[in-house]
Amino acid sequence: MEKMNTGRVWIVDFGSQYTQLIARRIREMSVYSEIVLPGEVNPDTLAANRVTALILSGGPSSVYEAEAPDIDREIFKQGIPILGICYGLQLMSKHFGARVHTDNRREYGRSQIYFRQKSPLFEKVAEGTTVWMSHGDHVDSIPEGFDVIALSENNAPAALEHQEQPLFGLQFHPEVKHTTEGEHILANFIFKIARIKPDWTAGHFIEQTTEQIRHQVGDGKVLMALSGGVDSSVMGMLIFRAIGNQCVPVFINNGVQRKNEPFEVIRKLKKMGLPVRKYNYSSQFLRALKGVKAPERKRKIIGHQFIRAFERIAAQYPDLSYLAQGTLYPDVIESRSVNGPSQVIKSHHNVGGLPKRMNLVLIEPFSYLFKDEVRKIGRELGLPEEILNRHPFPGPGLAVRIIGEVTAYRLAILRKADDIFINELLKSDEYNRVWQAFAVLVPVKTVGVMGDQRTYENVIALRAVNSSDGMTADWSPLPHPVLTRVANRIVNEVRGVNRVVYDITSKPPGTIEWE
């Protein structure tokens, strides 16, 4: 049997809404994958990063548009296995001399494919298998050196394979669940064609990252920013185990946390053995947020205030050289520069580097991981389930769960409402059945009646979603009795609220957070 390779897969992002799904599918096979921009890919970068396979994503552009994203043609001559998906297939075909035709009508939805000849890409895939089409262009002629290995039910090329090089193309999306055997097709590309060894596990990551951190830090000291959430807690334990007392773990009270959160976070982190130190900068954060309504502005201000707080703390430790954060891959992806084909969804307070005056180097061991991967690492490290099962909480905290200006009065309302919601989910055993749940204060006054009197008060929106990584999410159909209890308690116990609504929007089109 041919030897398997240790390596990584690069997914070239041409702007598809499914690009992150490709990365997820490959990671689920215990193979490391990373999303990159077209301009970052050339023979030198492939060699330097030990890339063993490339996947070219789909995208909204036509390959003939003036500003259509392109890629260095030399990558097709390196002998590296390449799989083009939709736009990726069309771009590869164009580079090999084929014509790409723009249809008057998009081919969108489920279809069946039928094989023209045998291919390792479709080994053990059923004839007539269901696939998901989503494209407006298709290949109108066969690229030089390629064979058509599958046709769609409309008799159009659905898959291509080069006669000599390990180059393949699909006109459908194997990464989405609507493609019945999509994961099997991707596995054939990864294991049968690229011959990659499935050795990217939580244990391997811990071992490799621990070694990297020790080598990078040397005798230096690391300021660790801990929020008490899953990401920062796992990050804190990983780095603490790697370098011990060279860490300075700190928790910053920014004034926009949930009810009793500062106390609970310190208690749990110390129980884990982390010598965390608490700093209260809540007045500085709230003062900076006064009068600010725009969501992006609030995020930027909170990010700036965190930097200022870290500066003050770092000044107390002159031998500090590094700042460690629990930044995740979705944060990086959503904050991506508009210079790439994918658009910025929202900025994240912990993405974008540090000002030069801080003279600290960032350590972000999870910046290429998804949330569920961090949880696996946490379990491998032995963290308690009460930490690992904690719902995600945004760095800007309740500031982005209050629509408009953040005030002490509005924070008090939201803290009480959110506390009722989460406690009712815990009591009903629904908390661990959803990925994330929270309340949002919508400071829009609506008319109500309480005690035979007219009221004119605020709205609380409840949100609960299920997701694997936060990149996509479905709203969670919580039991009606649970929602009824929550709504009744909020209206009766939280002064300033007379209406409760439930958000049933999935992501996309909505984001999980409201701001």
Side-chain angles (χ1 to χ4, degrees):
M1 176 180 283
E2 188 179 343
K3 185 180 178 181
M4 302 288 276
N5 305 307
T6 295
R8 62 179 60 194
V9 179
W10 269 10
I11 297 145
V12 186
D13 182 14
F14 290 108
S16 170
Q17 60 180 316
Y18 302 132
T19 301
Q20 292 80 25
L21 277 180
I22 305 172
R24 294 287 309 129
R25 297 292 175 258
I26 305 303
R27 297 273 187 97
E28 287 163 3
M29 299 173 194
S30 298
V31 171
Y32 181 75
S33 65
E34 186 178 326
I35 298 170
V36 297
L37 298 176
E40 298 170 343
V41 184
N42 58 60
D44 292 336
T45 58
L46 294 177
N49 289 277
R50 295 183 296 111
V51 178
T52 42
L54 272 179
I55 297 179
L56 313 182
S57 85
S61 303
S62 167
V63 295
Y64 294 121
E65 291 176 7
E67 300 299 322
D70 204 346
I71 200 163
D72 188 340
R73 193 183 192 283
E74 292 300 310
I75 68 165
F76 300 116
K77 302 176 182 178
Q78 305 305 306
I80 185 173
I82 300 176
L83 175 65
I85 298 174
C86 286
Y87 182 88
L89 160 68
Q90 295 155 17
L91 184 62
M92 184 162 56
S93 298
K94 179 189 172 189
H95 276 292
F96 280 87
R99 296 188 308 274
V100 177
H101 176 72
T102 299
D103 296 311
N104 294 325
R105 188 166 54 115
R106 286 171 57 89
E107 188 174 15
Y108 186 84
R110 288 180 174 85
S111 182
Q112 280 73 46
I113 61 169
Y114 300 92
F115 305 132
R116 286 277 301 271
Q117 63 183 55
K118 284 187 177 182
S119 169
L121 193 62
F122 295 126
E123 185 173 321
K124 296 185 179 178
V125 175
E127 179 81 11
T129 190
T130 299
V131 300
W132 184 259
M133 298 285 188
S134 179
H135 61 92
D137 294 357
H138 71 259
V139 178
D140 202 27
S141 63
I142 309 306
E144 185 179 348
F146 281 79
D147 291 325
V148 176
I149 55 174
L151 296 171
S152 72
E153 60 187 35
N154 295 325
N155 212 36
L160 302 176
E161 177 181 343
H162 196 275
Q163 296 161 0
E164 299 175 357
Q165 300 292 328
L167 306 177
F168 299 81
L170 300 174
Q171 187 59 80
F172 58 89
H173 288 274
E175 67 273 24
V176 301
K177 291 182 178 178
H178 305 304
T179 297
T180 309
E181 298 179 86
E183 290 183 28
H184 187 76
I185 294 169
L186 287 172
N188 281 342
F189 176 72
I190 296 299
F191 301 127
K192 305 261 181 214
I193 295 166
R195 309 292 301 170
I196 300 176
K197 187 188 301 181
D199 59 0
W200 196 71
T201 62
H204 177 264
F205 177 87
I206 291 169
E207 180 182 342
Q208 186 179 58
T209 306
T210 298
E211 184 180 331
Q212 289 173 348
I213 290 170
R214 286 173 180 161
H215 177 74
Q216 180 181 6
V217 173
D219 296 328
K221 282 199 171 183
V222 179
L223 180 66
M224 290 200 311
L226 302 181
S227 69
V230 176
D231 316 322
S232 73
S233 298
V234 178
M235 179 272 297
M237 184 58 74
L238 176 65
I239 296 179
F240 185 68
R241 287 195 180 186
I243 58 174
N245 291 331
Q246 291 173 251
C247 297
V248 181
V250 300
F251 170 81
I252 293 174
N253 180 355
N254 59 13
V256 288
Q257 284 140 344
R258 291 167 290 195
K259 186 177 179 180
N260 298 327
E261 190 152 28
F263 171 78
E264 286 296 320
V265 166
I266 295 298
R267 180 185 68 81
K268 290 175 182 177
L269 291 175
K270 286 189 173 180
K271 189 178 177 181
M272 288 166 49
L274 291 173
V276 63
R277 309 170 195 196
K278 183 173 73 171
Y279 293 85
N280 189 351
Y281 288 100
S282 55
S283 60
Q284 289 93 324
F285 277 81
L286 294 180
R287 192 161 52 244
L289 288 168
K290 187 175 181 180
V292 178
K293 297 180 181 180
E296 278 297 290
R297 182 71 183 137
K298 286 192 285 187
R299 289 176 178 273
K300 297 289 187 185
I301 287 172
I302 288 170
H304 178 68
Q305 288 301 313
F306 267 118
I307 293 295
R308 293 192 66 183
F310 290 139
E311 283 181 319
R312 295 188 188 103
I313 296 168
Q316 302 172 27
Y317 304 91
D319 52 348
L320 278 173
S321 306
Y322 301 90
L323 172 65
Q325 298 185 144
T327 307
L328 291 189
Y329 206 14
D331 298 343
V332 175
I333 294 168
E334 288 191 332
S335 298
R336 172 173 285 173
S337 165
V338 291
N339 292 328
S342 297
Q343 292 191 349
V344 170
I345 306 300
K346 59 190 176 190
S347 64
H348 290 263
H349 77 287
N350 57 342
V351 176
L354 297 171
K356 290 182 179 179
R357 67 177 182 272
M358 284 195 73
N359 202 30
L360 294 178
V361 177
L362 268 179
I363 295 178
E364 296 174 312
F366 301 154
S367 60
Y368 288 97
L369 298 188
F370 294 96
K371 176 77 72 175
D372 59 319
E373 294 170 331
V374 173
R375 285 195 168 105
K376 289 178 183 176
I377 290 162
R379 289 190 177 93
E380 189 81 13
L381 290 169
L383 269 70
E385 289 298 315
E386 69 170 334
I387 291 286
L388 297 178
N389 290 333
R390 197 167 182 236
H391 288 183
F393 187 64
L398 299 182
V400 291
R401 292 179 179 175
I402 294 173
I403 307 303
E405 184 182 3
V406 179
T407 66
Y409 173 69
R410 290 177 175 180
L411 281 167
I413 291 175
L414 182 54
R415 282 193 180 104
K416 291 177 184 176
D418 187 77
D419 187 60
I420 289 170
F421 186 28
I422 298 304
N423 278 318
E424 286 296 331
L425 291 180
L426 288 167
K427 284 196 292 185
S428 61
D429 291 328
E430 291 295 326
Y431 184 86
N432 289 330
R433 295 192 183 108
V434 299
W435 193 74
Q436 187 176 10
F438 55 91
V440 177
L441 175 62
V442 186
V444 173
K445 299 296 181 70
T446 70
V447 175
V449 56
M450 300 175 72
D452 295 328
Q453 291 186 333
R454 179 183 184 274
T455 61
Y456 196 54
E457 300 290 0
N458 298 288
V459 177
I460 286 289
L462 305 178
R463 181 93 159 120
V465 298
N466 284 312
S467 178
S468 61
D469 49 37
M471 297 308 303
T472 60
D474 293 318
W475 67 275
S476 179
L478 292 176
H480 289 183
V482 174
L483 289 173
T484 300
R485 283 197 303 275
V486 173
N488 286 341
R489 283 195 60 192
I490 289 175
V491 170
N492 284 307
E493 298 176 31
V494 183
R495 190 175 296 275
V497 176
N498 69 354
R499 189 177 300 273
V500 177
V501 298
Y502 191 52
D503 183 354
I504 61 170
T505 312
S506 294
K507 176 186 179 179
T511 54
I512 295 176
E513 299 288 343
W514 276 42
E515 287 197 339

